[in-house]
Amino acid sequence: MKIALAQLNYHIGNFELNTQRIIENINLAKAKGADLVVFAELAICGYPPRDFLEFTDFILLCEEAAQQVAKHCVDIACIIGLPIKNDILEGKDLYNAAYFIENGKVKVVTKKALLPTYDVFDEYRYFEPNTQFECIEFKGKKIALTICEDLWNINDNPLYVSCPMDELIKQSPDVMINIAASPFNYRHDEDRIQVLADNARKYNLPLFYVNQVGAQTEIIFDGGSLVFDETGEVKAEMKYFEEDLQVFDLDEIQNVKNKYPAAERASDISQIHDALIMGIQDYFKKSGFSKAVLGLSGGIDSAIVCALACRALGAENVMAVLMPSKYSSDHSIKDALDLVNATGCKHEIIAIKEAATAFDSMLAKPFTGLEHNLTEENIQARCRGIVLMAMSNKFGYILLNTSNKSECAVGYGTLYGDMCGAIGVIGDVYKTQIFELARYINKDGEVIPENTIVKPPSAELRPDQKDSDSLPDYGVLDQILFQHIELQKGSKAIIAQGFDEALVHRVLKMVNQAEFKRYQTPPILRVSPKAFGMGRRMPIVGKYMA
Amino acid sequence: MKIALAQLNYHIGNFELNTQRIIENINLAKAKGADLVVFAELAICGYPPRDFLEFTDFILLCEEAAQQVAKHCVDIACIIGLPIKNDILEGKDLYNAAYFIENGKVKVVTKKALLPTYDVFDEYRYFEPNTQFECIEFKGKKIALTICEDLWNINDNPLYVSCPMDELIKQSPDVMINIAASPFNYRHDEDRIQVLADNARKYNLPLFYVNQVGAQTEIIFDGGSLVFDETGEVKAEMKYFEEDLQVFDLDEIQNVKNKYPAAERASDISQIHDALIMGIQDYFKKSGFSKAVLGLSGGIDSAIVCALACRALGAENVMAVLMPSKYSSDHSIKDALDLVNATGCKHEIIAIKEAATAFDSMLAKPFTGLEHNLTEENIQARCRGIVLMAMSNKFGYILLNTSNKSECAVGYGTLYGDMCGAIGVIGDVYKTQIFELARYINKDGEVIPENTIVKPPSAELRPDQKDSDSLPDYGVLDQILFQHIELQKGSKAIIAQGFDEALVHRVLKMVNQAEFKRYQTPPILRVSPKAFGMGRRMPIVGKYMA
C-alpha cells in the first residue's frame, strides 16, 4: 500500500482555496501512484478555526467542502480532518473528526478523543471527546487512525486518563496514521519525534504522521511530517516551513532513508528565523496585503524586523521610517541608513520634534510647574506611533511591531507608541536571542550593521538614556524571565536557583504589572513554548506577584 | 440546621484580603447562630484565577489560606471553594474543589465534575473533572454539595454527558448546596433562577445557592444568592451588586418570604447600570487607583461614561478632557460643559489643532499631492489619545475608554485613538441601549444633557460628519449585530429573518474585518451574554465572512 502524506498550508475559513489545494494534491498523489493520500487535522477549514466553529453555517460549509473533495477520491482513498456535528443530544455539539473516503464516499468517520485545552489550545471549548474506537480496513490492511493529541498522552505525567491507541491496538492494526495540526516552537521538533517514536515502539507499529505548514496569524506550523518504522526509527522527515507531498510504500519503509539525520537538525535560531519569515509572509498573504511599514531607530530590534520583512516580502515592499528626536544620537540615523542600504528597502526620514513641541505647548497649562518625566518620553514614542499609523493608513502598508519578548515581559515599552502594529514579529524572542538572530541573519554577509549589534541598547527618549538604567542586564533578566514565563516558576523557586532575591521580586512584579499593556498589544508570532497572547492568560487586576 | 450564605467580593490572588474577609464572615455567621457558613466557588483565590493556576506556588498559597480559615471553623462548620492538587498521575494536575471544614479540620473534599469551557470560561484548561460523588453528613442531615456548573446540565441540549446530582441523589440527601462563581449578564438572573428551580423540583430537595459579587477586570458577579424549597419556589434572594450574609433555618425555609418577587425584578437597563458602576469601582479599587480621566466630546457615549464614573468614583475623582478640533460643532463644547456642571467633575479644555497641524507639516513630503482622507481623521483621534494618555501618565489617572458595542463591532473607531484606555466601560452596550441608559441615568433629574441625547451621533472628524454617513441606522445595525454576535447567526440565517441581503453581508464583513482592532482594545466590562474579549475568540487572518 502506497501512502501519500500531503503537508499543506491552509487558510482558516477559506474553503475555496483549501478545497482547491486539497483536490490538486489528491490528483498529484494519484499521479505518483498512491493508494491513499493523507491530509492534516481540520485541513478542510484550517487550524485553529476558534469561534468560527460556533456558527452552524461554518460547519455546513465544512461538510460541503468535504463532499466536494470526496468526488475526487476515485482510484485513490483519502483521509482528511474536519469538524463534524455530534448527533447525540448530550455533550458538546461537535467532534474534531477525520473522514476516510473511498470511491467517492465517506466510509469511516474517526473522532478525536484527547482534546488539548492548554496554552494556545481550546479544543474542549468546542468538541466532545470520542469514546469509541474502530480501525479502518483498506486494501487488506488495518489502519489505526488517530488525530494529533490522541498520541500525546505518553509521558510521565499524562494529561488524560486514557490512551486511544490502547483501545485501537486490541483490533491488531497493521499501521498507525496520525493527522496533526501541531504548532511550531523551537523545541517542538525534538519533542514531536520523541513522542511519536515512543508510540511506534510501544505499539510495535509503523507510524505515518502528517502536519500542517504555514502561519495562521500568530500560530506557525512548521510541517516536518514523519514516517517511523515499528522500532521507532525515523524513516522519513518531510520539509520544514514548506509545503510538501511525499509517497511511501508501507511494505518498503525499511528502505527509505531519512534526509535529515538528527546530527544535522537545524539550530533553534535558524528555525526561529525561518518561522518568523513564514509568519510575516502568511500574515500578509492571508490578509490580502503586500507592503509593510516599520519604524527604524538604528537599534537592533527594528533592524532585525526590517531585515526579516525584506526577506519575507521583498525589499521593494518594505518602507522603513526613521523618526529622529532631539535625543537621538548621531549614530542612530547612520546605523539605520546603513541597514536601509544593506537591505535595499524604501525609507523616509520624518523628525518628530514638531509634534512633540506641539504637545508640550498644548499641555503647558495642565502641566504648569511639573518636571519633564516619563510622560514626555511616552509622548515622543506615541508621536512616532501616529506617524507610522498615518503612513499605514495613507498607503495601505501594514505596520510591523518591533518589540522584543524581554521588553514585552517587563512592560518596557509605550502603549500606543512603540507597542503599535498589526503583528508582533519578534515579541516571542528574548533580547539575548535577538543578538543571536542578528548574527544568524549576517551569516552570509553583513545586513544588520555591526554597530547596531555592539552598541548598548537604548530607547533614546531622554539624553544618554540606556536600557540598563531601568532594566537589569539582559543576560540575567532573560534567565529570570525564562524561569517565570516558560517554566512557570514563582519567586521562591527562582530564588532557590541562586538569583538575587530583590531582583527576582522586582522582575516578577514588573511582569505582572505589565499585563494591562500586553492585553492591548498586537498578536505575536509564536516561536517559543510559551508566548505572550492566547497561550498565556493572566488576570489583569489580580494581586498574586503584583 | 442553620445555614449562612456568605456572598463576598473577592480579589483574585489577594490571599491576605480574601482570608481576612472570609474569617470576618465566619465570625459574623457564628454570631448570628449559624451551624454552617457557605462561601462561593474558588472563594479562597477569587474567580477566575486563569493561568495563576499554573504556578505550583499559587496552589500552595491557596492551601495555606484554607488552613488559616480552617482554624476559625470552631463551633461552626464551613464550606469553601478552592483549587486543589490532583494526586493521581493521570489527568490534569488540579481539581476545582470545595472543603467541608468542621472542628477546625477539613472533613470532606468535594470536586467539580462539569467544567465550563465556553464563552469566558476555561475550566478544562486547568481542572480534571470529578467522577466520584459522596454526600456530606452534618448534624444528622445529608448535604449534596455541588459546584456551580454541576447543576447546569439541565436543559434540552445538555453540554455534558452526565449529571452529578443523578449520582448524589442515590445517597438520599436532605438538602442541596451549590457554591458558584456565576458571572452577570443582563439575562442571567432569570436563567439562574430557572435552572436552579428546575434542579430543586427534579430532585425534590431544598437548594441553597451562594454566588460571588464584585468585578474581576471585565467579569462582573452580581451576587443574588438564592434559597429554594423542594418545589422550586424561590424562598430567598440575596442582595444584587453588594456583599451580603444571611442565615436560614433549613427546617423553616417555608416561612421565609422572598423580598424580590419576580414582578419587581430590576429592569435589564437598571442591572446594566449597576453592573457598570461596580465594574468601574472594582477595577480602580483592586488595581490600587482612585482617579479617572476620559475624553468628553459632547456626544452621548463619553457623557454616559463620565456620568457613570462620577457615580462610581465620586465626581472629584473624575477629570473630563474636552479636546475640540476645527471640525467640532458649536454645541459640542456646550453640551460637554453642561455635563461637567451637572456631574461636578473636573475638566480641562485642550484643543488639538496645534498637534494636528504639526503632523500635517511633518507628513507633507510623503503625502505630497494626496487628498486629505481617513488618515487625517485618524490623526486627530490619535492626537486626542496622546493628550489623554499624557494626562494619565502625568497625574496617575486611569483612562476610561468610551467606545460602545456597535462601534466596536463594526470597527468604527480609531485604534490608538478613541480606542485607547485601561478599561472599556460601555463596550458591551449597543448604541440603542446607550440611549436607554442615558434616560435611566436621568430618571431622577437631568445629568446627561438633553441635546446630547437627541442630536444625531457624529465623530466630528470632518465637516458635518454624521455616523449615518458611514453606518446603517443604529436601530437596524444593532439588530443585525445582536443576531450575529449574541446568537451566532451567519448571513443566511439573518437574511432569512427579512433583513436586507446586501446590508447583512456588509455588516458581517465589517464585524469580521475589525477583529484586528478588537484584539488590541482594552478589556470591556461584560454585561451581555456575549461580550467582545475573552469570551469571543475569532481568527484574525481568517477568511470566513470577511
Side-chain angles (χ1 to χ4, degrees), chain A residues 11-15 48-52 54-55 57-58 61 89-93 115 117-119 121-122 124-126 128 156-161 216-218 283 286-287 348 350-352 354-355 358-359 361-363 365-367 370-373 375-376 378-379 382-383 386-387 389-391 393-395 416 420-422 484 488-492 512 516 519-523 530 533-545, chain B residues 11-15 48-52 54-55 57-58 61 89-93 115 117-119 121-122 124-126 128 156-161 216-218 283 286-287 348 350-352 354-355 358-359 361-363 365-367 370-373 375-376 378-379 382-383 386-387 389-391 393-395 416 420-422 484 488-492 512 516 519-523 530 533-545:
Chain A
H11 180 192
I12 294 167
N14 191 337
F15 294 104
R50 300 216 166 122
D51 287 3
F52 281 170
E54 298 189 347
F55 290 80
D57 186 42
F58 187 81
L61 290 171
L89 212 56
E90 288 81 15
K92 302 268 184 176
D93 289 340
L115 300 172
T117 306
Y118 53 81
D119 194 62
F121 302 105
D122 278 322
Y124 186 63
R125 183 173 170 91
Y126 314 104
E128 182 65 14
D156 294 341
N157 183 15
L159 257 185
Y160 311 91
V161 294
Q216 310 286 5
T217 314
E218 70 274 61
Y283 186 90
K286 293 178 182 177
S287 57
E348 288 282 354
I350 302 175
I352 59 163
E354 218 174 324
F359 284 108
S361 147
M362 286 156 58
L363 290 159
K365 185 181 144 260
F367 290 2
L370 300 171
E371 299 272 315
H372 270 221
N373 63 2
T375 303
E376 284 74 17
N378 283 333
I379 287 175
R382 291 186 177 119
C383 286
I386 289 193
V387 169
M389 288 304 295
M391 294 290 287
N393 290 163
K394 195 62 112 185
F395 300 109
Y416 322 129
C420 288
H484 184 59
Q488 285 140 310
K489 302 262 190 246
S491 54
K492 274 181 231 154
N512 284 279
F516 81 97
Y519 190 95
Q520 299 188 42
T521 46
K530 184 56 83 178
M534 278 300 287
R536 188 172 182 278
R537 303 175 191 172
M538 304 300 269
I540 296 179
V541 298
K543 169 91 173 151
Y544 175 58
M545 290 182 297
Chain B
H11 180 192
I12 294 167
N14 191 338
F15 295 104
R50 300 217 166 121
D51 287 3
F52 282 169
E54 298 189 347
F55 289 80
D57 187 42
F58 186 82
L61 290 171
L89 212 55
E90 288 81 13
K92 302 268 184 177
D93 289 340
L115 300 171
T117 306
Y118 53 80
D119 194 63
F121 302 106
D122 277 323
Y124 186 64
R125 183 173 170 91
Y126 313 105
E128 182 65 15
D156 294 341
N157 182 15
L159 257 185
Y160 311 91
V161 293
Q216 309 286 4
T217 314
E218 70 275 60
Y283 185 90
K286 293 178 182 177
S287 59
E348 289 282 352
I350 302 175
I352 59 163
E354 218 173 324
F359 283 108
S361 147
M362 285 155 58
L363 290 160
K365 185 180 142 261
F367 290 2
L370 299 172
E371 298 272 316
H372 270 221
N373 63 2
T375 303
E376 284 74 16
N378 283 333
I379 287 175
R382 291 186 178 121
C383 285
I386 288 192
V387 168
M389 288 304 295
M391 294 291 287
N393 290 163
K394 195 62 112 187
F395 300 109
Y416 322 129
C420 287
H484 184 57
Q488 284 140 310
K489 303 262 191 245
S491 53
K492 274 181 232 153
N512 282 278
F516 82 96
Y519 190 95
Q520 299 187 42
T521 45
K530 184 56 83 178
M534 277 301 285
R536 190 172 182 276
R537 304 175 189 171
M538 303 301 268
I540 296 179
V541 298
K543 169 91 173 152
Y544 175 58
M545 290 183 297

Side-chain angles (χ1 to χ4, degrees), chain A residues 76-261:
Chain A
I76 188 167
C78 162
I79 288 172
I80 190 159
L82 78 168
I84 64 165
K85 211 172 155 305
N86 174 10
D87 288 325
I88 298 166
L89 212 56
E90 288 81 15
K92 302 268 184 176
D93 289 340
L94 301 175
Y95 283 110
N96 182 341
Y99 281 171
F100 172 74
I101 306 172
E102 197 183 359
N103 297 323
K105 295 259 183 295
V106 177
K107 290 287 170 66
V108 182
V109 179
T110 297
K111 300 161 191 163
K112 190 173 185 177
L114 308 186
L115 300 172
T117 306
Y118 53 81
D119 194 62
V120 297
F121 302 105
D122 278 322
E123 292 198 20
Y124 186 63
R125 183 173 170 91
Y126 314 104
F127 300 119
E128 182 65 14
N130 179 38
T131 53
Q132 293 184 323
F133 301 94
E134 196 195 346
C135 286
I136 296 167
E137 306 221 15
F138 178 59
K139 300 225 166 208
K141 302 277 187 188
K142 270 193 190 167
I143 300 169
L145 173 63
T146 53
I147 302 176
C148 204
E149 192 86 346
D150 284 344
L151 289 189
W152 280 74
N153 205 33
I154 193 161
N155 63 45
D156 294 341
N157 183 15
L159 257 185
Y160 311 91
V161 294
S162 66
C163 273
M165 268 310 298
D166 289 350
E167 300 304 314
L168 285 163
I169 197 71
K170 294 173 188 164
Q171 299 169 28
S172 306
D174 299 293
V175 58
M176 290 188 282
I177 294 180
N178 183 265
I179 65 171
S182 200
F184 167 77
N185 70 62
Y186 59 76
R187 250 184 35 193
H188 195 61
D189 53 343
E190 291 98 332
D191 288 354
R192 184 164 58 203
I193 288 175
Q194 184 67 52
V195 163
L196 295 171
D198 287 350
N199 273 280
R201 262 192 302 276
K202 177 175 174 188
Y203 299 107
N204 194 32
L205 287 175
L207 167 56
F208 291 76
Y209 164 91
V210 66
N211 194 13
Q212 302 201 351
V213 71
Q216 310 286 5
T217 314
E218 70 274 61
I219 300 191
I220 297 165
F221 297 95
D222 61 341
S225 300
L226 293 156
V227 179
F228 297 84
D229 69 13
E230 74 282 3
T231 71
E233 192 183 326
V234 179
K235 300 309 295 182
E237 198 169 344
M238 285 166 59
K239 283 181 189 160
Y240 286 89
F241 303 108
E242 271 185 69
E243 291 196 332
D244 197 4
L245 180 139
Q246 291 189 32
V247 183
F248 306 94
D249 190 331
L250 172 59
D251 301 317
E252 302 284 334
I253 59 167
Q254 284 309 337
N255 304 327
V256 179
K257 222 171 147 189
N258 183 18
K259 287 178 219 130
Y260 300 78

Side-chain angles (χ1 to χ4, degrees), chain A residues 327-528:
Chain A
Y327 305 118
S328 296
S329 52
D330 299 337
H331 60 74
S332 293
I333 296 276
K334 182 187 175 302
D335 293 340
L337 288 175
D338 284 349
L339 182 85
V340 166
N341 290 331
T343 58
C345 69
K346 293 184 287 189
H347 81 282
E348 288 282 354
I349 302 179
I350 302 175
I352 59 163
K353 190 180 164 200
E354 218 174 324
T357 306
F359 284 108
D360 269 353
S361 147
M362 286 156 58
L363 290 159
K365 185 181 144 260
F367 290 2
T368 304
L370 300 171
E371 299 272 315
H372 270 221
N373 63 2
L374 201 64
T375 303
E376 284 74 17
E377 297 185 28
N378 283 333
I379 287 175
Q380 292 174 69
R382 291 186 177 119
C383 286
R384 292 190 173 117
I386 289 193
V387 169
L388 291 170
M389 288 304 295
M391 294 290 287
S392 166
N393 290 163
K394 195 62 112 185
F395 300 109
Y397 301 148
I398 293 292
L399 176 58
L400 299 177
N401 175 278
T402 61
S403 306
N404 66 58
K405 188 172 191 173
S406 311
E407 289 172 350
C408 291
V410 297
Y412 192 70
T414 302
L415 202 51
Y416 322 129
D418 52 296
M419 293 174 78
C420 288
I423 183 87
V425 176
I426 53 169
D428 197 28
V429 185
Y430 285 117
K431 190 76 175 190
T432 41
Q433 293 174 302
I434 289 287
F435 291 100
E436 278 182 76
L437 191 52
R439 297 291 176 199
Y440 181 82
I441 289 170
N442 281 358
K443 74 180 161 50
D444 302 319
E446 185 172 300
V447 180
I448 314 288
E450 184 63 20
N451 193 45
T452 290
I453 303 178
V454 299
K455 69 186 175 185
S458 166
E460 299 196 331
L461 291 169
R462 59 173 183 264
D464 301 321
Q465 187 178 27
K466 300 274 173 293
D467 288 10
S468 53
D469 301 342
S470 322
L471 296 179
D473 174 77
Y474 281 116
V476 180
L477 176 64
D478 286 357
Q479 287 182 59
I480 295 173
L481 292 173
F482 182 83
Q483 291 293 320
H484 184 59
I485 294 160
E486 271 81 351
L487 304 184
Q488 285 140 310
K489 302 262 190 246
S491 54
K492 274 181 231 154
I494 301 175
I495 293 162
Q497 291 178 38
F499 290 97
D500 178 71
E501 185 169 341
L503 180 63
V504 170
H505 285 299
R506 181 177 156 223
V507 171
L508 267 53
K509 192 170 171 174
M510 283 195 286
V511 172
N512 284 279
Q513 290 189 338
E515 286 310 331
F516 81 97
K517 286 191 185 182
R518 278 193 295 274
Y519 190 95
Q520 299 188 42
T521 46
I524 288 169
L525 293 178
R526 178 184 179 273
V527 296
S528 84

Side-chain angles (χ1 to χ4, degrees), chain B residues 115-190:
Chain B
L115 300 171
T117 306
Y118 53 80
D119 194 63
V120 298
F121 302 106
D122 277 323
E123 291 197 21
Y124 186 64
R125 183 173 170 91
Y126 313 105
F127 300 120
E128 182 65 15
N130 179 39
T131 53
Q132 293 182 325
F133 302 93
E134 196 195 346
C135 287
I136 296 168
E137 307 220 15
F138 178 58
K139 299 225 168 209
K141 302 277 186 187
K142 269 193 191 170
I143 301 169
L145 173 63
T146 53
I147 303 177
C148 205
E149 193 85 347
D150 283 345
L151 289 189
W152 281 74
N153 206 32
I154 193 161
N155 62 45
D156 294 341
N157 182 15
L159 257 185
Y160 311 91
V161 293
S162 65
C163 273
M165 267 312 297
D166 287 351
E167 300 304 314
L168 285 164
I169 197 70
K170 295 173 188 165
Q171 299 169 28
S172 307
D174 300 293
V175 57
M176 290 188 283
I177 295 180
N178 184 265
I179 64 171
S182 201
F184 167 77
N185 70 62
Y186 59 77
R187 249 184 35 193
H188 194 60
D189 52 344
E190 290 98 331

Side-chain angles (χ1 to χ4, degrees), chain B residues 57-292:
Chain B
D57 187 42
F58 186 82
I59 306 303
L60 287 175
L61 290 171
C62 289
E63 180 59 30
E64 278 175 28
Q67 293 305 329
Q68 270 296 105
V69 167
K71 286 187 203 152
H72 294 263
C73 299
V74 181
D75 300 327
I76 187 167
C78 161
I79 288 172
I80 191 160
L82 79 168
I84 64 165
K85 212 172 155 305
N86 174 9
D87 289 325
I88 298 165
L89 212 55
E90 288 81 13
K92 302 268 184 177
D93 289 340
L94 301 175
Y95 284 110
N96 182 342
Y99 281 170
F100 172 74
I101 306 173
E102 197 184 1
N103 297 324
K105 295 259 181 296
V106 177
K107 290 287 169 65
V108 181
V109 179
T110 297
K111 301 161 192 163
K112 190 173 186 176
L114 307 187
L115 300 171
T117 306
Y118 53 80
D119 194 63
V120 298
F121 302 106
D122 277 323
E123 291 197 21
Y124 186 64
R125 183 173 170 91
Y126 313 105
F127 300 120
E128 182 65 15
N130 179 39
T131 53
Q132 293 182 325
F133 302 93
E134 196 195 346
C135 287
I136 296 168
E137 307 220 15
F138 178 58
K139 299 225 168 209
K141 302 277 186 187
K142 269 193 191 170
I143 301 169
L145 173 63
T146 53
I147 303 177
C148 205
E149 193 85 347
D150 283 345
L151 289 189
W152 281 74
N153 206 32
I154 193 161
N155 62 45
D156 294 341
N157 182 15
L159 257 185
Y160 311 91
V161 293
S162 65
C163 273
M165 267 312 297
D166 287 351
E167 300 304 314
L168 285 164
I169 197 70
K170 295 173 188 165
Q171 299 169 28
S172 307
D174 300 293
V175 57
M176 290 188 283
I177 295 180
N178 184 265
I179 64 171
S182 201
F184 167 77
N185 70 62
Y186 59 77
R187 249 184 35 193
H188 194 60
D189 52 344
E190 290 98 331
D191 288 354
R192 186 163 55 203
I193 288 174
Q194 183 67 53
V195 163
L196 295 171
D198 286 350
N199 274 279
R201 262 192 301 277
K202 178 175 173 189
Y203 299 108
N204 194 32
L205 287 175
L207 168 55
F208 291 77
Y209 165 90
V210 66
N211 194 12
Q212 303 200 351
V213 70
Q216 309 286 4
T217 314
E218 70 275 60
I219 300 191
I220 298 165
F221 297 95
D222 61 342
S225 300
L226 292 157
V227 179
F228 298 84
D229 69 14
E230 74 280 3
T231 72
E233 192 183 325
V234 179
K235 301 308 294 184
E237 197 169 346
M238 286 166 59
K239 285 180 189 162
Y240 287 90
F241 303 109
E242 270 186 69
E243 291 197 334
D244 197 4
L245 180 139
Q246 292 190 31
V247 182
F248 306 95
D249 190 331
L250 172 59
D251 301 318
E252 302 283 335
I253 58 167
Q254 284 309 339
N255 304 327
V256 179
K257 221 173 150 191
N258 184 19
K259 288 177 219 130
Y260 301 78
E264 291 168 34
R265 185 158 297 287
S267 69
D268 287 354
I269 212 72
S270 122
Q271 291 182 47
I272 290 173
H273 175 270
D274 293 354
L276 297 178
I277 297 278
M278 172 164 265
I280 296 170
Q281 278 172 340
D282 279 5
Y283 185 90
F284 280 73
K285 196 169 64 188
K286 293 178 182 177
S287 59
F289 291 89
S290 59
K291 290 173 194 295

